[in-house]
Amino acid sequence: LVNSAGSLALIRFFIGMAGSSFVMAQFWPSRMFSREISGAANGIVGGWGNLGGAWTQVFMGTILFPAFERYYDGDSEKSWRTICVIPAAMAFLFGLALPFIADDAPLGDYSEMKKKGTMDRIFFTTSLRSGATRNTWILFIQYASCFGVELVMNNASVL
């Protein structure tokens, strides 16, 4: 897949897009749970997300890699590159299914709540205003800095 700087940048872009799903996973519990317990819910979601990533690394390294290495007659490079597609495909398929198997909020879907008048209208400018605060940018920089370290550690742990 990667044989030039451009293709590496493209692959890293898609890996970053997949990694950004963490932000949505943190937003969703904040909307699903009351203010009093949303912090605990976000912590649990983040912990389970990291557990899933760690389990995927272990599963790929201990089960999939040896199986594919036998399949490819000992070609470890081809085996490793091939098994990386499996979790990506599973995540993609789950992402396609999620809108059909989950509610938007505890009270139901947003479209139904808007029709019933039980949900306030949310404007795009409200989101822009929250992105203009200094605290938001401090957290953005901190997370951007630590996520790169997390990727390096995940990659190094497999070796």
Side-chain angles (χ1 to χ4, degrees):
L1 287 173
V2 176
N3 53 17
S4 69
S7 59
L8 177 63
L10 184 66
I11 293 293
R12 291 302 297 161
F13 170 77
F14 285 115
I15 289 172
M17 292 297 287
S20 70
S21 66
F22 178 78
V23 175
M24 291 167 278
Q26 290 298 290
F27 175 74
W28 201 5
S30 297
R31 298 284 296 179
M32 296 287 281
F33 296 97
S34 68
R35 185 178 302 228
E36 293 80 22
I37 63 169
S38 67
N42 278 327
I44 291 168
V45 167
W48 276 101
N50 282 340
L51 176 66
W55 187 88
T56 300
Q57 291 285 332
V58 170
F59 179 71
M60 288 172 58
T62 60
I63 297 171
L64 288 180
F65 181 69
F68 275 75
E69 196 173 34
R70 281 191 297 278
Y71 180 77
Y72 286 122
D73 296 324
D75 187 352
S76 61
E77 186 170 331
K78 191 172 188 178
S79 302
W80 185 248
R81 291 176 186 271
T82 304
I83 66 169
C84 289
V85 173
I86 293 171
M90 290 175 66
F92 181 76
L93 292 173
F94 185 74
L96 290 177
L98 190 61
F100 301 104
I101 62 175
D103 290 333
D104 294 332
L107 299 177
D109 292 327
Y110 289 149
S111 58
E112 294 171 13
M113 291 167 44
K114 285 179 184 176
K115 286 178 188 173
K116 294 177 187 175
T118 58
M119 180 181 165
D120 295 333
R121 289 190 63 191
I122 300 172
F123 296 99
F124 181 67
T125 54
T126 306
S127 298
L128 291 178
R129 272 186 259 130
S130 65
T133 66
R134 183 174 11 134
N135 291 345
T136 301
W137 285 104
I138 289 170
L139 289 171
F140 169 80
I141 291 167
Q142 185 272 334
Y143 185 71
S145 300
C146 76
F147 188 66
V149 173
E150 183 177 351
L151 288 177
V152 169
M153 293 305 293
N154 287 342
N155 291 332
S157 68
V158 172
L159 301 174

